[in-house]
Amino acid sequence: MPGHFEPLPGGGAAVALDDVEISIIRSLAVQLLELIGPGPGEDASDDPLAELFAEGPTEPPKDPVLRRLFPDAYSDPEQVPDSPGQAEENRAYSSEFRRYTENDLRAGKRESALVVVRTLDGLTPAGDGGAILKLSAEDSRQWLGALNDLRLAIGSRLEITDEDDTDDLYRLPDEDPRKPMVMAYLWLGGLQETLVSTLMP
């Protein structure tokens, strides 16, 4: 079990984490929460109707990590539009789609990151340090979403656009300031992969 998730009887998954791993994952999840920001109703009124009818932004985020987490729905940066009119039409469609969906997407990503923090905070330390994290099937799905978001965020900071881009990163010298981020990216990828396997029928 060390270093990878294993399925639990009846659904869910478990993984052994040491104190450093717990601290790293929790810190990354908190940073993700700070980046995503509060929900529409969390910094305004407590009026549920106001939150229900709140419209999201129409422009893509300026931060490249947020642009990776909340990409335009109708544009592919690698595809050249057939005409300037098509590009303008795609921008309009993306803007409208973002307006009605981004708040919900942010809420979902925020909830997944909060589940990570809460489950880690609820761990009972083992005698030799660290703990066994046991997740329900639902918490496993939330963790999977959060691990994916964390890898997208780190990958964006490392300017990874494709998994094939990681070859050079594997060979970074220890003194390279990107090395800790690369190690976290690879480690989270391993966790994500084994968690996916526990959810497979």
Side-chain angles (χ1 to χ4, degrees):
M1 183 184 302
H4 62 272
F5 279 97
E6 292 184 1
L8 289 174
V15 63
L17 298 170
D18 65 31
D19 291 337
V20 173
E21 292 169 333
I22 292 168
S23 177
I24 290 171
I25 298 173
R26 190 185 188 285
S27 174
L28 290 172
V30 168
Q31 290 176 55
L32 182 63
L33 284 166
E34 291 170 354
L35 185 64
I36 293 171
E42 292 174 34
D43 56 358
S45 70
D46 292 329
D47 180 1
L49 287 178
E51 184 171 342
L52 180 65
F53 292 107
E55 292 183 358
T58 57
E59 295 297 320
K62 301 242 184 295
D63 186 297
V65 173
L66 289 175
R67 275 202 307 275
R68 188 83 173 267
L69 293 174
F70 305 104
D72 275 337
Y74 292 91
S75 66
D76 182 350
E78 298 190 12
Q79 180 181 0
V80 178
D82 294 335
S83 68
Q86 182 192 7
E88 188 60 38
E89 190 174 271
N90 286 347
R91 276 193 292 275
Y93 287 146
S94 291
S95 175
E96 195 70 0
F97 186 82
R98 184 179 296 280
R99 177 180 169 202
Y100 291 111
T101 61
E102 186 168 312
N103 283 346
D104 287 342
L105 289 173
R106 281 182 183 257
K109 291 180 184 300
R110 189 180 302 109
E111 182 56 33
S112 292
L114 281 170
V115 166
V116 169
V117 173
R118 288 177 189 141
T119 52
L120 291 176
D121 286 350
L123 286 175
T124 303
D128 55 350
I132 304 294
L133 174 69
K134 294 182 179 180
L135 301 173
S136 67
E138 178 55 32
D139 285 349
S140 294
R141 285 187 283 277
Q142 297 277 31
W143 261 75
L144 190 57
L147 288 172
N148 186 61
D149 289 341
L150 290 173
R151 291 193 79 236
L152 284 173
I154 295 171
S156 179
R157 292 289 188 234
L158 291 169
E159 299 181 350
I160 297 171
T161 56
D162 188 290
E163 284 299 319
D164 294 335
D165 295 344
T166 58
D167 289 346
D168 290 339
L169 295 174
Y170 287 126
R171 295 185 287 276
L172 285 178
D174 290 342
E175 60 272 12
D176 192 299
R178 296 171 295 169
K179 186 74 174 215
M181 275 202 300
V182 170
M183 299 307 293
Y185 180 82
L186 298 173
W187 173 57
L188 292 173
L191 283 177
Q192 183 182 15
E193 188 177 330
T194 60
L195 184 53
V196 167
S197 69
T198 70
L199 296 172
M200 301 290 273

